[in-house]
Amino acid sequence: VWPRICASHYNGEESSQYLIDRSLMRPRFLLNLINQCKSFAINLNHEKILIEDIDKGLTAYSTDLLADIGYEINDIANNGSDILYAFINCKSKLTKTEIIRTLTDFGLTADSTENIIELLLWYGFIGIELNTEAKYIYDFNYSMQLLNGIIKKTKEPTYIINPAFWPSLMIEQ
């Protein structure tokens, strides 16, 4: 059914899986992303969702997702809603030192960076590279203990900003 309503592939990957991978494994976010793509297809009078509709839908979705996750972080971190904007124009892969520098350059105190990094991990904004694959909190069944255990066992973990945020934050790939 999917190929009848959407281009079968996007950036060399099966399109439905590509969209799922950017949903943070939240069904509501997946529906939002598909609806964004569908809206562009309808507005441009396309018979089905085309690659250009996915491009535009991903950008719109990424902007909405940035706001949604920002609100969630603000609920916990008080005045942390704009912290995700610290990563505008960053590389997609960062060391912990680079994340801390990014956060302190944005105005956070060094004392608060550990808590913010934990929140960024919990909300799936950042993950870690494990055996050349990006892994996010949902890949560990939302177990922070497991994720933190893997981080501690890795000498110098590489952190990866979730690709769902790349379009809105103009992340360098």
Side-chain angles (χ1 to χ4, degrees), residues 9-64:
H9 287 78
Y10 182 80
N11 284 351
E13 189 176 335
E14 200 278 320
S15 61
S16 65
Q17 188 61 51
Y18 190 90
L19 299 178
I20 290 167
D21 289 344
R22 277 139 188 85
S23 71
L24 307 183
M25 296 305 151
R26 294 184 184 186
R28 174 175 51 101
F29 288 167
L30 178 60
L31 292 174
N32 290 347
L33 175 53
I34 292 169
N35 281 331
Q36 289 282 6
C37 296
K38 182 182 81 172
S39 292
F40 282 101
I42 289 169
N43 288 339
L44 295 170
N45 220 13
H46 296 150
E47 299 261 332
K48 67 181 191 176
I49 299 169
L50 303 177
I51 290 172
E52 66 187 78
D53 303 320
I54 295 173
D55 283 336
K56 293 174 182 170
L58 279 168
T59 300
Y61 162 78
S62 183
T63 302
D64 291 347

Side-chain angles (χ1 to χ4, degrees), residues 69-84 103 108-109 112-120 122-123:
I69 297 298
Y71 294 141
E72 289 184 30
I73 289 174
N74 189 52
D75 287 345
I76 293 174
N78 292 334
N79 297 325
S81 65
D82 64 346
I83 201 63
L84 301 179
L103 294 171
L108 260 68
T109 63
S112 63
T113 58
E114 276 306 316
N115 289 337
I116 294 298
I117 290 171
E118 287 283 317
L119 285 173
L120 297 176
W122 173 252
Y123 283 102

